[in-house]
Amino acid sequence: MATMASSASSVSAFSMASLRSALPNVKSNGGGFYASASSSLRLSRSVPSLSLRTRSNVNTNALQVSRCFTGLALSNPLLLSGSDNNGFENGFTIIDQGSRFYAMRHGRRVPKLNRPPDQRRALLRGLTTQLLKYGRIKTTRARASAMRKYADKMITLAKDGSLHKRRQALGFIYEKEIVHALFAEVQDRYGERNGGYTRIIRTLPRRGDNAPMAYIELV
């Protein structure tokens, strides 16, 4: 039994010694940790040379090397003098290539028109109503492009001519007389045409804000 105990103690002592030799010698430094001189991960504690005027103004006891993890690779040791370098990010190299990041708007299927959804739908309904009433209106290019599909859809509903399509058009267009006139005259005007019921013509920008303007009209 004594022989087995002595052999077990020798094995445990050998294993602990090998483990200590394999690990770097890490010592405590006032709450932080830094590697010893035998480890290659220790940061340099050498204070850079200062001029005579700077050396007279800065207290050498106030210069401290910031505590950090041994795995971080800093460009320079942080010298916390209390006035110049008071942030942790000052020791890292900042890489700025002038890149800009935007929110991901991949498809951009819905033009926002700088309005919330309810106001945007009301705006498009009003523009469609005015286009079907007067045949030609002037608005911005963005609004003209956004309302184009709604005007084409109303004409497509009128070409169908059913009661269900009429009620759908009445739910979108503000004036009932325009809906009834559209359903009555659409076959004579667009009976032979399959799509492309509107035309957008660009014009001069608007005075004041220089917004791009355009005319949208029925073909």
Side-chain angles (χ1 to χ4, degrees):
M1 295 294 293
T3 307
M4 293 177 64
S6 61
S7 61
S9 61
S10 62
V11 171
S12 61
F14 176 76
S15 62
M16 291 300 296
S18 61
L19 182 60
R20 286 174 183 155
S21 61
L23 293 175
N25 187 12
V26 180
K27 298 180 180 180
S28 176
N29 183 15
F33 294 94
Y34 66 91
S36 62
S38 60
S39 176
S40 60
L41 299 176
R42 181 182 179 182
L43 296 176
S44 175
R45 295 180 62 87
S46 60
V47 178
S49 59
L50 302 175
S51 61
L52 182 60
R53 181 180 300 176
T54 307
R55 192 177 301 172
S56 61
N57 295 333
V58 179
N59 186 9
T60 57
N61 295 328
L63 296 177
Q64 301 175 1
V65 177
S66 67
R67 308 182 186 96
C68 64
F69 297 102
T70 56
L72 291 178
L74 298 177
S75 59
N76 290 316
L78 299 180
L79 298 178
L80 302 180
S81 58
S83 59
D84 295 331
N85 298 328
N86 52 5
F88 185 75
E89 65 275 3
N90 293 328
F92 294 92
T93 303
I94 300 175
I95 301 175
D96 186 9
Q97 298 177 352
S99 302
R100 295 181 180 180
F101 300 94
Y102 299 95
M104 292 182 291
R105 290 278 293 147
H106 295 294
R108 302 190 65 179
R109 297 179 181 178
V110 179
K112 300 298 183 180
L113 300 179
N114 292 328
R115 292 210 176 19
D118 54 345
Q119 296 181 16
R120 181 168 62 246
R121 180 173 174 82
L123 173 64
L124 294 174
R125 289 179 63 185
L127 291 174
T128 305
T129 303
Q130 296 300 314
L131 176 62
L132 295 177
K133 182 177 182 179
Y134 297 104
R136 181 179 184 180
I137 60 174
K138 182 180 181 181
T139 181
T140 60
R141 295 181 191 174
R143 294 178 182 179
S145 301
M147 66 161 292
R148 188 174 196 174
K149 65 177 183 179
Y150 295 100
D152 292 347
K153 183 178 180 180
M154 293 300 108
I155 296 176
T156 304
L157 294 178
K159 288 179 67 176
D160 185 275
S162 63
L163 179 60
H164 176 61
K165 303 299 182 182
R166 185 183 295 265
R167 287 173 176 174
Q168 284 184 332
L170 288 171
F172 189 83
I173 299 175
Y174 283 127
E175 300 182 16
K176 295 181 180 181
E177 294 79 6
I178 297 176
V179 176
H180 298 318
L182 177 63
F183 272 71
E185 300 175 2
V186 70
Q187 291 295 337
D188 297 337
R189 186 170 182 176
Y190 300 111
E192 302 272 336
R193 180 181 291 270
N194 296 323
Y197 307 113
T198 56
R199 181 188 299 117
I200 295 178
I201 303 173
R202 297 185 178 183
T203 183
L204 296 176
R206 182 168 56 192
R207 292 184 62 184
D209 58 351
N210 201 29
M213 305 295 292
Y215 287 100
I216 180 170
E217 61 184 8
L218 297 176
V219 177

